[in-house]
Amino acid sequence: GGPFDACLAYMEAHFFDPDLEISKICAVGFMSQSSLQRGFHQRFGMSPKAYLSKLRIHRAMELLLSQNQSVKEIAFACGFSDEKFFSRVFKKKYGFSPAVFKKKNIQN
């Protein structure tokens, strides 16, 4: 358990909320932002923001594979408030846009 695990569990349960702020996550475990940063770097080798982005992108990948939703709908469902930003983040991680990925993987 502990404060870090409380923060992590909260983040994993709410990552699809576009209004999720790092400060809100800190409040759940009564941790300072610097303590949370340290915890994430120790456990995952990345910042809380990077981890949040990773959660969102992984979920988006699942939805792109399994759902018949538009890229825009999937972006919003995963906590991205902007479709263009989502596409940029996705492309940076995977080397192609979500739209291209979706087309490639549509099962007929």
Side-chain angles (χ1 to χ4, degrees), residues 16-59:
F16 49 81
D17 176 358
D19 297 323
L20 182 63
E21 301 277 330
I22 298 301
S23 58
K24 213 184 267 186
I25 296 164
C26 290
V28 169
F30 303 102
M31 290 181 83
S32 68
Q33 291 210 22
S34 57
S35 297
L36 190 71
Q37 292 271 3
R38 246 193 325 279
F40 269 92
H41 278 289
Q42 284 169 349
R43 186 154 328 161
F44 302 110
M46 63 179 75
S47 71
K49 266 198 160 62
Y51 188 80
L52 181 58
S53 184
K54 189 177 137 181
L55 287 175
R56 288 173 169 167
I57 284 289
H58 277 284
R59 181 71 183 128

Side-chain angles (χ1 to χ4, degrees), residues 71-104:
V71 170
K72 187 177 189 166
E73 287 169 326
I74 289 170
F76 290 134
C78 295
F80 291 94
S81 51
D82 180 308
E83 182 188 355
K84 287 186 183 72
F85 175 69
F86 164 61
S87 292
R88 273 201 310 275
V89 172
F90 190 95
K91 191 169 186 173
K92 196 172 150 188
K93 182 158 177 59
Y94 296 113
F96 40 79
S97 72
V100 167
F101 179 79
K102 196 169 168 55
K103 266 194 209 95
K104 274 190 193 167

